[in-house]
Amino acid sequence: LSESEVFAGVNNQNDVIVYDILKAEDPKALPSHSRNIFATMFSKDGKSLFSTGEDRLGIRWDIAKGIPAEVMF
């Protein structure tokens, strides 16, 4: 869980899945990596989620918009 929001990031195949636990809505899938995901981590302010994977990409996600804010190689 992030520190300032109530979201959880879970790896499912090559997608990052984000749950808003308070709203109990359907999870938001963020299709992201072409290979397995190694790790996810929220920013301290809870506005971004970082993911890294076997494809050697690091992605910073804008949680509110559900889009990549930055892709690092």
Side-chain angles (χ1 to χ4, degrees), residues 18-61:
V18 178
Y19 298 88
D20 184 334
I21 297 173
L22 286 180
K23 293 181 182 176
E25 296 174 344
D26 288 337
K28 185 186 307 183
L30 308 175
S32 54
H33 294 272
S34 62
R35 300 180 73 182
N36 293 330
I37 296 171
F38 290 149
T40 58
M41 181 178 75
F42 284 97
S43 62
K44 189 170 183 172
D45 64 8
K47 294 180 181 180
S48 296
L49 176 72
F50 298 87
S51 62
T52 185
E54 196 173 274
D55 57 7
R56 299 182 180 189
L57 292 178
I59 302 173
R60 179 173 61 89
W61 296 92

Side-chain angles (χ1 to χ4, degrees), residues 10-17 32-38:
V10 179
N11 299 338
N12 178 12
Q13 302 286 335
N14 300 333
D15 298 334
V16 174
I17 309 298
S32 54
H33 294 272
S34 62
R35 300 180 73 182
N36 293 330
I37 296 171
F38 290 149

